[in-house]
Amino acid sequence: MTSTEAAPFSLDLGEDLREVQQWVREFARDVVRPAAEEWDEREETPWPIIQEASKVGLYSLDFFANQWLEPTGLGIPVAFEELFWGDAGIALSIVGTGLAAASIAAVGTPEQVGEWVPQMFGTPDDVRLGAFCASEPDAGSDVGSIRTRAVYDEAKDEWVLNGTKTWATNGGIADVHVVVASVYPELGARGQASFIVPPRTPGLRQGQKFRKHGIRASHTAEVILDDVRIPGGLIVGGKDRFDERIARVREGKSTRGQAALKTFETTRPAVGAMALGVARAAYEYALQYAREREQFGKKIGEFQAIAFKLADMKTQIDAARLMVWRAAWMARNGHDFANAEGSMAKLMASETAVRVTEEAIQILGGNGYTREYPVERMHRDSKIFTIFEGTSEIQRLVIGRAVTGLAIR
């Protein structure tokens, strides 16, 4: 092949990714699935499962880094789909730290990445967690309305944080919290930054722990910051870079990304992969049920009404997966989401998960509505993907603005 010829197009994952896929699938099948019902009922963080994941290297900085840096960009989507195929609540407890880690890796200095990201994972004998805190009681999708304040105390070279965060995965129980706060409220989202709050920092505490509709094995809570003081160097990306960005904003020059939005841009394809895992699990269960369940002297899968449901479910899952893979490949290879391809992938996959799990319940009939069958839990779990890290409505807004070039509101 000459230098001017393009490499052949292929959707083959390759040997390395197939090995990762199989490894994570086996862990999800053998460790996660057997524990799913118990931890859903307990509504507690499944520490023994996280520790087991740490022992085998699944919950580790090396694993997450290697998959994020995988050349095709498909490492994280492939791994996350398999893990969430096992169970969404337990899986989110395992990968929830990744959002906080990604927020530092995306814009942090090399020193910050090297010091703080490893502390979010710990070791098999000392498992630790990270938490990314962006949403607030009055600022969920509207990140520009964040009220948590960060004030720089120049005399002490410290930042002082005050405010309340909500819907924080691992909030309050994490060892390292990454908090999005407003430094210059008059600039809206452009005046925000992320801050690293080290373990056992005075003034940070857990508020209300939420009892949720789904993903109940994942800890979600408020985080309250009351005069939290951290060293000046713990603004993510460094103070000099932040000051330079603010100067450009005040001069009317464009800047690329804000504290919370930059993180969400990076992780949207990954969230789509999570939703795919839940959708595929529900589809596979419904398919097997349709092959075995008999009514009116036939397997119910022989009835066109059921077969057509399964056909649509499979088609939607595969289509969503291709969109997730495209967005992940684009992100890894430096292509801008000119048409909001990351939001497209997240929107498609999340809404597919809701539709597919609902149809799975319908195929199982009354059985599907009971907790004796896992599709009921999968349906509850699926809904969160249309809400967190940008609701479906926000994704459509982002896509609409991208494709029209207009200031849609």
Side-chain angles (χ1 to χ4, degrees):
M1 185 172 66
T2 68
S3 59
T4 59
E5 292 178 334
F9 175 77
S10 175
L11 288 174
D12 184 358
L13 290 177
E15 184 177 353
D16 289 346
L17 268 180
R18 286 198 300 271
E19 288 180 359
V20 169
Q21 185 181 51
Q22 185 62 31
W23 174 52
V24 179
R25 182 179 299 168
E26 289 173 358
F27 183 85
R29 181 193 66 206
D30 299 339
V31 180
V32 174
R33 279 199 167 181
E37 182 180 0
E38 174 190 353
W39 291 98
D40 177 71
E41 292 288 343
R42 291 175 63 167
E43 297 191 54
E44 297 174 0
T45 300
W47 289 105
I49 311 298
I50 300 174
Q51 187 172 38
E52 189 64 25
S54 181
K55 287 179 180 178
V56 301
L58 181 58
Y59 183 77
S60 69
L61 173 57
D62 285 345
F63 175 77
F64 278 83
N66 287 339
Q67 299 317 307
W68 275 117
L69 297 175
E70 195 279 328
T72 67
L74 302 185
I76 286 293
V78 166
F80 280 16
E81 179 179 336
E82 297 305 325
L83 195 57
F84 279 73
W85 170 85
D87 176 70
I90 292 176
L92 192 57
S93 286
I94 294 173
V95 309
T97 293
L99 184 59
S103 70
I104 296 179
V107 295
T109 66
E111 294 77 16
Q112 289 172 340
V113 174
E115 179 176 2
W116 294 105
V117 175
Q119 292 192 47
M120 295 182 182
F121 294 93
T123 67
D125 295 325
D126 183 21
V127 172
R128 299 185 180 186
L129 301 175
F132 182 69
C133 308
S135 295
E136 297 188 356
D138 296 319
S141 297
D142 183 11
V143 295
S145 296
I146 284 176
R147 294 181 180 177
T148 296
R149 288 294 311 277
V151 177
Y152 183 59
D153 184 341
E154 190 169 359
K156 296 183 178 180
D157 186 26
E158 290 180 337
W159 291 96
V160 184
L161 277 61
N162 282 281
T164 299
K165 293 296 180 179
T166 194
W167 312 120
T169 299
N170 299 333
I173 65 171
D175 296 272
V176 179
H177 291 74
V178 180
V179 178
V180 179
S182 179
V183 181
Y184 299 103
E186 70 276 10
L187 300 179
R190 296 178 299 171
Q192 296 169 3
S194 292
F195 298 86
I196 301 166
V197 182
R200 297 174 295 280
T201 298
L204 184 148
R205 61 184 174 87
Q206 179 185 311
Q208 175 186 3
K209 177 185 175 181
F210 295 104
R211 301 184 64 195
K212 305 187 298 296
H213 177 63
I215 55 165
R216 302 198 303 192
S218 173
H219 176 95
T220 309
E222 290 181 329
V223 174
I224 298 172
L225 303 110
D226 185 7
D227 283 335
V228 171
R229 286 184 169 268
I230 59 174
L234 294 188
I235 178 172
V236 177
K239 188 172 185 301
D240 289 344
R241 190 190 305 175
F242 176 72
D243 289 342
E244 290 172 3
R245 178 161 68 83
I246 293 300
R248 291 197 300 272
V249 170
R250 294 195 186 282
E251 292 171 4
K253 298 178 180 178
S254 63
T255 60
R256 181 173 175 78
Q258 281 81 47
L261 298 181
K262 184 67 175 177
T263 298
F264 293 149
E265 287 174 10
T266 304
T267 59
R268 275 172 182 155
V271 176
M274 299 175 190
L276 278 174
V278 177
R280 198 184 95 218
Y283 161 74
E284 290 177 359
Y285 196 95
L287 176 63
Q288 188 62 32
Y289 187 90
R291 287 170 170 168
E292 298 174 355
R293 174 74 166 173
E294 291 191 4
Q295 290 284 283
F296 306 104
K298 293 183 178 182
K299 307 293 187 186
I300 65 171
E302 295 182 62
F303 291 103
Q304 191 178 89
I306 301 300
F308 279 14
K309 286 184 184 294
L310 291 165
D312 286 343
M313 292 158 74
K314 176 62 171 170
T315 300
Q316 291 162 6
I317 290 169
D318 283 10
R321 183 182 295 110
L322 287 173
M323 294 187 74
V324 167
W325 284 13
R326 177 184 69 168
W329 176 85
M330 290 177 67
R332 180 66 182 89
N333 288 278
H335 296 279
D336 288 338
F337 289 158
N339 293 301
E341 287 85 354
S343 290
M344 287 184 186
K346 198 262 189 185
L347 173 66
M348 180 70 172
S350 62
E351 299 210 337
T352 291
V354 173
R355 286 194 299 270
V356 167
T357 55
E358 182 176 9
E359 289 287 53
I361 290 177
Q362 197 71 19
I363 290 171
L364 269 68
N367 286 334
Y369 198 65
T370 70
R371 293 192 180 183
E372 301 300 316
Y373 291 80
V375 293
E376 178 271 340
R377 183 180 68 252
M378 294 170 185
H379 184 53
R380 286 189 285 108
D381 289 343
S382 71
K383 186 58 186 173
I384 191 60
F385 299 108
T386 67
I387 298 172
F388 73 174
E389 294 199 43
T391 64
S392 289
E393 291 73 22
I394 290 296
Q395 306 308 324
R396 289 186 172 93
L397 184 65
V398 172
I399 297 165
R401 287 173 175 171
V403 298
T404 66
L406 302 176
I408 300 171
R409 302 181 77 76

